[in-house]
Structures are given as structure tokens and as C-alpha cells.
Amino acid sequence: MPMIRRFFAGFLASALCVSLAAQVTERPRPEEWKQLVPGARFMDRFLPMPDGVKKSHVWGTDSIQNRYVDNGIEQDDMSFWGGNILQTADGKYHLYVCGWPERSRNGHMFWPNSTVFHAVSDRLSGPFRIQNSIGKGHNPEAFRLADGRVVVYVIDGYYIADSENSPVWCYQQFDFDARDRNIIEGLSNLTFARRADGSYLMVCRGGGVWISRDGLSTYQQITDKRVYPAVEGRFEDPVVWRDSLQYHLIVNDWLGRIAFYQRSKDGIHWVTEQGEAYVPGISFHKDGEVEHWFKYERAKVFQDPDGRAVQMNFAVIDTIKGCDQPGDRHSSKNICVPLNKGLLLSVLNEQPITASTKRIEVKIKAEPGFSPQTDVDIESLRFGSFTEVNFGRGSKPLKTRKEGDDLIVVFSGKGSGIMPDEFAPKLIGRTTNGELLYGYARLPYVDYAPALLSARRPQYNKEQGLLKLKISNFGLSASRPSQVEVCCGGKVIASGDIKPLSPYEEVELALKPAGTATGADSAYEVIIRTDGQEQERVLFRQPAAK
């Protein structure tokens, strides 16, 4: 009988692998991507993994033998998944990662019962050693509050403690206010970015954007649709972060095994850059050898003091998840891959750049180990909109001058592709040694902390014959006088003025609707404009639960 049970268990496992194999789809790339130059893709920023201990004849398929077993976190008797790193003042690196015994029933699919571990290393790339466990949970992401407390998010809740090394963590749950919008694909696999005032922006798995005033208080949904690229894909594993200039977002199409890279000045409105953010095979050694993991998921970043991503962590597995069975040669771990962090750039032109701009002056800041005055191949530089620079076009350098240790490059204004909505033009080039240079420049005339006016669903008071409309400012600065329109049935039925609102201030307007096409179940479209520019357009199809 035991032999029969083992036979059927093996048969079912094989059948599962066959069915799951059909879930891997090769996504066709846009034809224009063939014209992208080095530095256009986010994945061009990945650097060789730091030298470590190589081993063969360890668990895993042949494609990952001779790997760095001391990179990230790896144990023969444990499977690991997810996790990101925080650093403390003593220089230690703290990885919050989930895992489960490799011999657990159902193999990798035991993940709903995973435990969150606190692991520590003296090096950013590991090896990380488990110091203690925090509690049950999956897909953790850790972040630090303005008061220094540490939050470790897990699916359906979070743990909080006074510091990274706290022996006791308290489990709690976030509160969410959908603000009359439909929640996009549920509230799981959340990712967080701290805003300049200590508040937090969150992106959920479905691509909705939420804001909490301090990271713990109620998260308010701002968007009414996903902010991901408008392409075919089964999206999950978003990771969002903010540097000193802009927000960054990477989301993974797990079915197609391709990720996309987006940028934003406010965390609400995003542009998508061409090319893959990452694909299988991005973990490589200095000698060119590649650790060919089957899946790279749960990407997380470690940032430098300027907010630039200097390392990316991935949960990796050597096979389809359902094929990882108890006690077999398959498993998963967390790996660390360094990133080219890019340059610190700023545009010196005080006036907005237009098609008639003759010269564009860009300052390249010197940093420890990098002298722009000697290390930059000036002729290789191209500057302008990513839509131009990523294809080798853009403005060309005319001359340079020194400013202290920094270098100012004067570009021709011709061909920059910079439009009125540009907030972070891009530079691509090479060092004198042929290494990649890239960066995004701050524009002195752009507001990087704009007001974010957002409306709730209009409420019709039949007795008063009025539409009540609440509008809040979720931005980091006071709003300007603005206007709002309420549409129903394709027609404007009410409009009004919005007074300037301080950050997080709310106002309720009482609008007199035209006509009678209003009611509790009416579909409303609300449009907010400032200085004639549309700030928000949201369609409330029907009353939504909070």
C-alpha cells in the first residue's frame, strides 16, 4: 500500500507540472524594442553579482549549479520567498523573508503556512543568517516609519516593533477606505513608498494607488483603475520606491515572465519606459556565468541615501512552483543582484524647455569614486525625453565647463523631445572605460510635490435637490483654485468651484444639478481641473462599499 501511495503521489506531481507548464507564455515584444540602445532598458542596470562561495552538486536543476550559495539567503532544509532589506546605524543589514521547511507537505505549495524570519548580515549581498522569527505570514515587505518603528507587511496584515532587532512584534491589520471606488483585484501583495512628509503611498497587487498619512492610519484609495501598462499581462509583484526626484514602479507579468518599468512625479500618473525591467537570467557573475533561475519574483530594492536603487532582491525558484515537492532536489531562495545606481543630474535652465530652446545645461554631480570631469565620455552622451534617448536620439553635447568638482554639459536644444509634461528627462552615455552612464534630471520649473485633488462619489439629496460632493487634497502642497464638473448620462449636470485646500484638507460642496437624471444608483463621472488642466477624472458606476 505505501508503494501505491507513493506511485500516485508521483503521478499527481508529474501531472501538476505538465499543467503548470502550460501557464508559461512567451510574450511578443514590440517591434520598436529592437531599436533600443544599451541603457534604455531597466534590466541594463543589473551588475555582476559580488564574488562569493560557488558550489555545485547542491539542490536545484543543472541551470543553477555552480552558483553563489552565500548570496542572499539559502539553506538546504528551508525554502525561502520574498523579503527586503533595511540597514541600521551599526552597519548591519536586516532581511525580512518568509520561509518554510523544504520537506513540508505539498512542497512549495505549502507557502500559505510560511513564517516570516528576521535574518542579518554584515554585507548587503549576504549571506543572511536567521536571527529570530516574527510570526506567520507571506510576501513580507518591511519599511520604517517617521518615528523609527519598523513595519513588516504580510498578506492580510502587518507586524510592528520599535526597531529592527526587537524580540517581540505585534500583529495588526491596516484599515482601508476605497473611497467609493472598486478595489482592483483585492488587497494583497502590497508595496510601499515613503513620501517627503512621512506619509506613505501604497500600490496593491491590482495596480491601485492608496495613501496613508503616516503609514499606519487608514489607507485611502486615490485611483479608480490600475496604473500598470496598458498591455496584455497577468500582473503581480509590484514594487514601488521613491528617490530624491521621482517615484519608480516595477510590476511583473508572472505568466509571461517579463516585468515593466514605470516612473511618476506624484505616484498617481505614470509613464512606462520601453524594454524589459527584468527577465529570467539577470543574475550573472563577473566571468559571465549566469544563474538561470526559472522564476524571478517578489522584486524589492535597497536604496542609497539619495533614494537610488543600488540592489534588487528576488525570490527565485529553479522550477515551476508546483513541481517543487517535499524532499526533492528543487527549492527556492532569496538572491541579491547589484544595480548601477545612475547619476545625480539637474537641469540649469530656469525657463521651461521647448522646441525653440537653443541650449540645455545639465549639471552632472561628482560623487565618491566618480569624477564627471575625467570619467565621462562626453561625445557618447544623449539627453532628452526617454522616448528619444532610449533609441539613441536626443540632444547632443556642444561643450562643457567645470563647476567645482561637478561638470556642466551644454547640449543643443535640438531633438530633445522634451514636451510640456516632462518631469525627468533622461541621459544615457558611457564612461571613458565604456561602462554605462545614465540618469534622470531635475527640472527647476517642475513642481515635484503637487496637490492631488480627489473626489468621492456624489450623494444626491432628493429633499434639498442638491448633490453633495466631498473633495480632498492628498498632495504635499496646497492646491490652487480649481473647478469640478459632475456628469451623468454623458452630460454635465452640475459644476462648481473648489477653494484652495491644504494637504489632507477636505471640503464638501453642495451643487445644484440641472435636470432630474440623478439618484442613489446613478452613474456619475467627476472631473477636476486646475488652471484648465485635468487633475482627476473618475467614473462612479454605482455605490461602492468602503
Side-chain angles (χ1 to χ4, degrees):
M1 191 62 114
M3 183 178 296
I4 295 175
R5 282 199 297 267
R6 286 197 298 272
F7 169 80
F8 277 107
F11 174 79
L12 290 173
S14 298
L16 180 61
C17 289
V18 171
S19 64
L20 288 176
Q23 296 183 26
V24 178
T25 299
E26 293 300 324
R27 302 288 192 201
R29 276 35 169 186
E31 190 67 22
E32 68 167 0
W33 286 13
K34 294 180 181 178
Q35 308 303 318
L36 293 172
V37 300
R41 300 171 173 86
F42 185 92
M43 65 180 290
D44 295 337
R45 305 173 194 180
F46 287 100
L47 300 173
M49 303 169 77
D51 290 336
V53 177
K54 287 188 178 183
K55 285 188 179 181
S56 297
H57 309 295
V58 288
W59 62 262
T61 59
D62 292 343
S63 64
I64 58 166
Q65 297 300 307
N66 201 37
R67 67 176 177 270
Y68 289 139
V69 294
D70 60 340
N71 179 281
I73 186 167
E74 176 176 335
Q75 290 182 203
D76 291 342
D77 60 346
M78 292 289 295
S79 295
F80 294 104
W81 202 251
N84 69 303
I85 298 168
L86 301 179
Q87 187 179 20
T88 45
D90 60 2
K92 299 286 186 181
Y93 297 97
H94 303 258
L95 170 66
Y96 298 91
V97 64
C98 66
W100 56 93
E102 195 277 331
R103 291 184 174 273
S104 300
R105 68 182 187 278
N106 301 329
H108 185 90
M109 305 315 291
F110 190 78
W111 67 260
N113 303 292
S114 61
T115 297
V116 179
F117 296 103
H118 168 212
V120 181
S121 176
D122 293 325
R123 296 200 316 164
L124 180 57
S125 61
F128 286 87
R129 306 297 183 194
I130 293 176
Q131 181 167 302
N132 62 304
S133 62
I134 292 177
K136 295 294 183 182
H138 196 65
N139 285 352
E141 178 170 308
F143 60 91
R144 192 179 289 114
L145 299 175
D147 62 10
R149 288 182 295 169
V150 176
V151 174
V152 179
Y153 160 79
V154 294
I155 293 177
D156 294 332
Y158 67 93
Y159 293 92
I160 186 168
D162 290 337
S163 71
E164 288 81 353
N165 289 306
S166 294
V168 178
W169 294 73
C170 178
Y171 178 80
Q172 299 182 28
Q173 291 183 310
F174 291 120
D175 291 323
F176 301 98
D177 183 353
R179 299 183 61 251
D180 310 314
R181 293 149 167 80
N182 292 321
I183 297 176
I184 307 168
E185 294 184 26
L187 287 167
S188 65
N189 294 0
L190 312 183
T191 180
F192 306 82
R194 184 174 173 178
R195 304 204 300 172
D197 67 343
S199 61
Y200 270 84
L201 178 142
M202 178 269 282
V203 179
C204 66
R205 173 178 176 167
V209 177
W210 305 63
I211 289 176
S212 166
R213 191 162 183 176
D214 58 12
L216 292 182
S217 59
T218 301
Y219 278 85
Q220 315 261 353
Q221 187 171 206
I222 310 301
T223 57
D224 66 329
K225 58 181 68 71
R226 75 180 191 179
V227 298
Y228 298 153
V231 298
E232 181 184 6
R234 294 285 298 275
F235 292 118
E236 67 169 22
D237 296 347
V239 56
V240 66
W241 71 98
R242 184 185 67 86
D243 61 22
S244 59
L245 175 61
Q246 60 188 334
Y247 293 85
H248 306 261
L249 175 64
I250 289 179
V251 64
N252 179 36
D253 168 17
W254 66 268
L255 190 62
R257 298 193 300 165
I258 174 179
F260 295 86
Y261 171 56
Q262 301 177 273
R263 298 183 292 106
S264 171
K265 74 170 182 178
D266 58 16
I268 307 298
H269 308 93
W270 297 84
V271 296
T272 302
E273 291 215 28
Q274 308 93 342
E276 301 90 342
Y278 62 84
V279 294
I282 52 172
S283 47
F284 60 96
H285 302 173
K286 292 178 182 177
D287 61 5
E289 185 169 8
V290 178
E291 297 183 10
H292 284 288
W293 297 92
F294 180 74
K295 284 250 186 186
Y296 295 71
E297 297 186 359
R298 304 303 302 159
K300 302 295 176 188
V301 300
F302 183 85
Q303 300 171 252
D304 75 356
D306 291 298
R308 293 173 293 181
V310 298
Q311 177 176 282
M312 188 163 276
N313 281 59
F314 293 95
V316 292
I317 188 169
D318 65 321
T319 187
I320 292 173
K321 295 176 183 178
C323 295
D324 177 10
Q325 296 295 304
D328 65 4
R329 66 179 299 200
H330 302 301
S331 192
S332 57
K333 64 174 290 187
N334 189 286
I335 65 169
C336 306
V337 186
L339 291 166
N340 181 329
K341 64 185 178 181
L343 304 174
L344 294 175
L345 307 174
S346 58
V347 168
L348 302 184
N349 298 51
E350 293 293 336
Q351 297 300 315
I353 297 171
T354 67
S356 62
T357 299
K358 301 296 185 182
R359 301 285 188 270
I360 303 173
E361 296 193 351
V362 180
K363 179 190 288 188
I364 304 177
K365 185 176 177 59
E367 300 184 68
F370 171 70
S371 171
Q373 298 175 8
T374 59
D375 296 344
V376 177
D377 177 356
I378 302 299
E379 293 303 315
S380 72
L381 299 180
R382 295 294 181 270
F383 182 77
S385 169
F386 73 94
T387 59
E388 299 298 314
V389 174
N390 284 349
F391 294 94
R393 304 186 295 263
S395 297
K396 297 180 180 180
L398 299 176
K399 59 183 180 180
T400 65
R401 69 175 185 269
K402 298 178 181 179
E403 185 177 276
D405 293 332
D406 302 333
L407 180 69
I408 296 174
V409 182
V410 181
F411 289 88
S412 166
K414 184 179 179 180
S416 74
I418 294 176
M419 304 298 287
D421 58 354
E422 180 64 69
F423 59 90
K426 188 175 185 179
L427 179 145
I428 291 180
R430 297 185 302 274
T431 68
T432 51
N433 293 328
E435 298 174 349
L436 171 66
L437 290 174
Y438 81 94
Y440 298 92
R442 176 176 292 273
L443 294 170
Y445 51 82
V446 169
D447 180 7
Y448 291 96
L452 295 174
L453 295 179
S454 184
R456 297 199 74 122
R457 188 180 197 279
Q459 301 295 320
Y460 181 60
N461 187 308
K462 187 174 181 180
E463 294 181 357
Q464 297 179 352
L466 295 174
L467 276 175
K468 301 295 183 68
L469 179 62
K470 291 183 178 180
I471 296 176
S472 300
N473 179 9
F474 290 97
L476 302 179
S477 61
S479 65
R480 294 174 53 80
S482 304
Q483 294 74 44
V484 62
E485 291 180 346
V486 179
C487 302
C488 186
K491 298 180 179 179
V492 177
I493 63 168
S495 62
D497 295 324
I498 309 170
K499 69 172 187 177
L501 299 178
S502 300
Y504 309 107
E505 185 180 359
E506 180 181 82
V507 66
E508 183 176 70
L509 304 180
L511 306 177
K512 184 70 175 178
T516 58
T518 55
D521 297 323
S522 295
Y524 295 110
E525 185 175 45
V526 178
I527 306 166
I528 298 175
R529 294 186 177 90
T530 303
D531 297 330
Q533 298 295 312
E534 188 174 296
Q535 304 299 311
E536 180 179 71
R537 179 185 291 263
V538 57
L539 178 62
F540 300 98
R541 296 187 181 277
Q542 59 185 11
K546 291 185 178 181

